[in-house]
Every structure is written in structure tokens, then in C-alpha cells.
Amino acid sequence: MKILKHIIRGTIWTILGLYILTVSLIQIPSVKDCLGRQTSSILSEKLGTKVHVGRVDLGFFNRLIIDDVVIYDRQHKEMIKSARLSAKIELIPLLENRISISSAQMFGTDFILYQTTENEAPNFQFIIDALSSKDNNNNESSFDLRINTFIMQHSSLKFDRYDMAPTNSKLNINHIDLNNISAHISIKALNEDSLNFIIKKLSFKENKSNLQINRLSLKMEGNRRKCNLHDFTLKMPETDIRIDNINATYRFKENTLV
């Protein structure tokens, strides 16, 4: 029995030692740069477009930190630009084709999105397609995401429909310009069949209309038949709206809401 305990203890310390050695090696600047190039290559192949990654840093307890990320769209224009992305990934769910992230942060991120015409796909559609790609074995989507805590700070988002005229001093969903985005979100489930998330706090300012959201919070649970919205709160400079519960039922026909 003592021998077995020594073997188990020795195995644990060996694995821990190798992990610490790996993390220590990754702190070397040249290694970080090399990992950045490799990550760029992998993401470029997965998304089918150019991706630039400055540095990759592996912290303790499965924390991954990526600096200076730029993702280009299929027209070779900058689409997403982020100063830093950070995530703590749980390893066991990866073996089951699930992505489970205990915490994720996004700092200084700019989204430049657009759509040429109503019949043309938006420039970010290829990322959605890549994430929802079918599994080769069962022809079902392998995308199953869970993020306990997601935080975004100092970020912005622009979207334009090029075939639609802009409007002055009015909110226009075809021309959106958000800045000072701050978000604290928990995604319990996100896949083809169900959606379960909590917006603990979301705030931003829309430049074109001067719309300012000081705080938006809610809980949402839904599937392909119904959805429930709880504890909705919206605070603006001169507006305060609170709704306890909203329920909705609907149906899909060939992936189209009818």
C-alpha cells in the first residue's frame, strides 16, 4: 500500500513539475513569439482568412493570454482587433467536443462589421459558419460553449449596411457605432438547441444617436420552442425600466422562425 502511495505521489509531482517547466519555458520572449506565429497559422487555416497574433502566454491553471490579435475578413480588411484576450479553459470538456471556459476577458477590442447588401452575407458570417461547422462523425454541430464569466472592457463595435442611407441623430440598426463597451456576462449554454445566459451588466454609448445605456441586465433561457426573460433592468440617463418576467413561444421551419 505504501508503494502504491509513493507511485501516485511521484506521478502527481512529475506531472506538476513538467507543467511548471512548460509554463516557465513559455515565459521566454522568443517562445511567446513562436507560439504567436503558430497560433496565427492554426486560426488562419480554421477560419480561412488572415489572422495575426502577437504573443501567446500560458499562465498557471490553464489560463491562456493572447496579445495583439487582428482577424481580417474575406475581403482582407481588419474585422476584429484586440489588445488582449484571456481565457481559463477547462481541459476535460475538450475531450468531449465541448468548450468550457471558467473565465474570459477581452480588453481594448474593436469590431468593424459591415454588410454590402441585404442579399450578401455580412463580413463576419464566415466565423459563425466555422464555429457551427458539422461534426464529421454524426453530421451534427460540434459547437457547445459555456463561459462562467465573460468580461469586456474599453471596446467598440461598428456595423454598416452599405446599401442603406444613414440617418442623423437617430438610432439606425443599419449604421451602429458603439464605444465604451463594458460587459459582464455569464453563458451557461450556447448551442444549436438551447441558449441560457445572464447579462449581469452591459453599458455603452451609441455615437450616431447619442444613445447611452448606463446599465442593462437580464436573464435569458430559451430553446427552439420557447424562451423566458427574467429580471430585466434598463437604466439610461433619464429612464429606468424593470420587468420581472417575459415568456414567448414560437416555432422553426427549416431553421427559419415562422
Side-chain angles (χ1 to χ4, degrees):
M1 192 67 178
K2 289 184 178 180
I3 296 176
L4 180 60
K5 287 183 178 179
H6 283 302
I7 292 174
I8 295 174
R9 186 178 302 168
T11 301
I12 293 174
W13 280 107
T14 300
I15 294 173
L16 182 60
L18 290 173
Y19 179 76
I20 293 174
L21 177 62
T22 301
V23 172
S24 300
L25 288 173
I26 291 177
Q27 304 309 310
I28 300 173
S30 59
V31 176
K32 291 183 180 180
D33 294 340
C34 180
L35 284 174
R37 291 191 295 270
Q38 291 297 321
T39 304
S40 299
S41 177
I42 293 171
L43 291 176
S44 296
E45 182 177 355
K46 172 65 176 176
L47 297 176
T49 189
K50 181 181 177 182
V51 178
H52 168 79
V53 174
R55 287 190 172 189
V56 175
D57 189 3
L58 179 63
F60 288 101
F61 307 111
N62 306 327
R63 180 167 295 281
L64 183 67
I65 302 170
I66 306 177
D67 292 331
D68 301 325
V69 179
V70 182
I71 300 177
Y72 295 80
D73 62 23
R74 295 284 174 83
Q75 285 69 44
H76 312 293
K77 297 179 181 179
E78 288 188 0
M79 183 180 67
I80 302 174
K81 187 174 182 179
S82 182
R84 168 161 290 190
L85 304 174
S86 174
K88 187 176 180 182
I89 303 172
E90 298 179 15
L91 299 179
I92 294 179
L94 288 176
L95 302 177
E96 304 172 350
N97 265 347
R98 295 185 295 111
I99 302 174
S100 183
I101 300 174
S102 56
S103 63
Q105 294 85 36
M106 184 178 288
F107 301 105
T109 303
D110 300 320
F111 298 86
I112 305 97
L113 314 177
Y114 62 85
Q115 186 175 0
T116 306
T117 66
E118 181 181 4
N119 296 324
E120 294 288 334
N123 68 326
F124 55 88
Q125 183 64 47
F126 70 97
I127 290 187
I128 298 175
D129 294 340
L131 291 175
S132 59
S133 59
K134 301 297 182 179
D135 186 278
N136 292 330
N137 296 322
N138 55 23
N139 200 34
E140 294 182 357
S141 174
S142 59
F143 181 62
D144 190 357
L145 178 65
R146 179 174 179 267
I147 304 177
N148 286 336
T149 302
F150 171 73
I151 294 174
M152 175 188 288
Q153 292 181 343
H154 309 299
S155 299
S156 68
L157 183 149
K158 281 189 173 184
F159 173 78
D160 287 293
R161 266 277 302 273
Y162 291 154
D163 61 333
M164 301 296 291
T167 54
N168 296 325
S169 302
K170 291 183 179 180
L171 182 63
N172 186 340
I173 62 172
N174 295 306
H175 300 279
I176 299 174
D177 185 4
L178 308 182
N179 67 358
N180 295 329
I181 300 174
S182 177
H184 186 180
I185 300 171
S186 177
I187 302 175
K188 302 299 183 181
L190 177 58
N191 52 53
E192 282 196 337
D193 298 320
S194 62
L195 173 66
N196 186 338
F197 67 90
I198 301 172
I199 299 179
K200 298 181 179 180
K201 180 182 179 182
L202 174 63
S203 62
F204 58 83
K205 182 178 180 180
E206 208 284 321
N207 293 325
K208 295 182 183 298
S209 63
N210 289 322
L211 172 69
Q212 182 170 326
I213 302 298
N214 294 335
R215 183 184 184 93
L216 171 66
S217 61
L218 59 88
K219 298 179 182 178
M220 173 71 79
E221 301 172 359
N223 52 37
R224 298 182 70 84
R225 297 179 300 277
K226 63 180 181 179
C227 70
N228 302 313
L229 186 148
H230 310 279
D231 303 329
F232 177 88
T233 299
L234 175 63
K235 292 185 178 182
M236 300 166 63
E238 298 181 4
T239 303
D240 192 341
I241 300 174
R242 298 174 186 271
I243 301 175
D244 292 333
N245 192 36
I246 299 176
N247 299 318
T249 58
Y250 43 81
R251 64 189 181 89
F252 282 87
K253 183 177 182 181
E254 297 179 355
N255 294 323
T256 302
L257 184 64
V258 296

